[in-house]
Amino acid sequence: MHWSQTFILFLNHEQYLVLLISIFLLEIIAGVLAYITYQELDEELRQNLKVTMQQKYKQLGEDGVTQAVDKLQQEFKCCGSYNSSDWRDCAWIQEPLNKRLVPDSCCKSPGDLCGLRDHPSNIYKVEGGCIMKLEEFILSQLYILGAVGIGIAFLQLVGMMFTCCLYQHLKEDPY
């Protein structure tokens, strides 16, 4: 016999229902906390993305940041945190040997030195920049998680109803 079956045998039916309801309430609390955390993450993202891009992109020892920013800009077809002009204040752009106006990952068709021009035909000039695209992506994932959570909650409610029905049936007709 599995340990969970043994555990359930020690519970009477009311305790089992209370256990199911407690698990259900914990899941609701977890959902609320996830939403609150998303709001905090969103604010932190807005505050730190631009600074991180400007100070750490293509800097010594910051290869992970550089790769992440390049992937972000290519995957979401965006340039800069709010717009392409964010790159003007970037430490790497301001280096004397660098002639680029934006990183090559901003280009619609990336290639070496394609960031020399920042014309809209060459780079992604999306209003709102990468922050808006990233927020939309995170929000879409949050909707999916919410839908899955609601589906699981529905199944748990059905399970609780069946438990109540089974309890009533066993109470009326004990074998």
Side-chain angles (χ1 to χ4, degrees):
M1 188 180 301
H2 194 263
W3 68 268
S4 63
Q5 293 169 330
T6 307
F7 176 72
I8 291 173
L9 287 177
F10 289 116
L11 296 175
N12 66 31
H13 301 325
E14 290 90 11
Q15 290 172 327
Y16 181 67
L17 184 62
V18 168
L19 179 68
L20 283 177
I21 291 171
S22 299
I23 292 170
F24 181 70
L25 290 174
L26 285 172
E27 287 178 348
I28 290 173
I29 291 169
V32 169
L33 288 175
Y35 181 76
I36 291 169
T37 303
Y38 166 74
Q39 297 300 325
E40 292 172 4
L41 175 70
D42 183 48
E43 187 58 36
E44 191 173 322
L45 178 68
R46 286 181 172 276
Q47 291 173 359
N48 295 328
L49 185 62
K50 182 177 180 178
V51 173
T52 301
M53 288 171 114
Q54 289 177 341
Q55 293 176 357
K56 296 184 177 184
Y57 186 80
K58 292 272 188 181
Q59 298 302 306
L60 191 61
E62 300 292 349
D63 294 336
V65 171
T66 301
Q67 291 172 355
V69 169
D70 286 342
K71 185 172 177 86
L72 174 75
Q73 292 186 143
Q74 280 298 299
E75 297 257 334
F76 290 112
K77 296 179 175 20
C78 57
C79 185
S81 56
Y82 291 99
N83 56 44
S84 60
S85 64
D86 291 340
W87 288 107
R88 290 184 192 137
D89 300 324
C90 176
W92 172 71
I93 294 291
Q94 293 176 353
E95 289 176 2
L97 296 176
N98 183 29
K99 303 290 184 220
R100 289 180 182 88
L101 299 173
V102 294
D104 293 339
S105 60
C106 281
C107 299
K108 292 178 180 175
S109 300
D112 274 346
L113 302 176
C114 70
L116 290 172
R117 292 183 28 221
D118 65 350
H119 190 270
S121 66
N122 185 42
I123 65 166
Y124 297 112
K125 287 224 178 202
V126 178
E127 252 339 285
C130 293
I131 290 230
M132 293 300 290
K133 295 275 193 158
L134 198 52
E135 284 177 350
E136 289 170 10
F137 176 75
I138 291 171
L139 202 54
S140 72
Q141 299 305 306
L142 196 60
Y143 287 144
I144 292 169
L145 285 174
V148 169
I150 289 170
I152 290 172
F154 175 74
L155 289 176
Q156 284 183 322
L157 287 173
V158 169
M160 284 184 232
M161 288 189 296
F162 281 135
T163 301
C164 290
C165 292
L166 179 62
Y167 174 69
Q168 283 298 101
H169 181 70
L170 289 174
K171 196 166 132 181
E172 293 170 1
D173 183 27
Y175 306 102

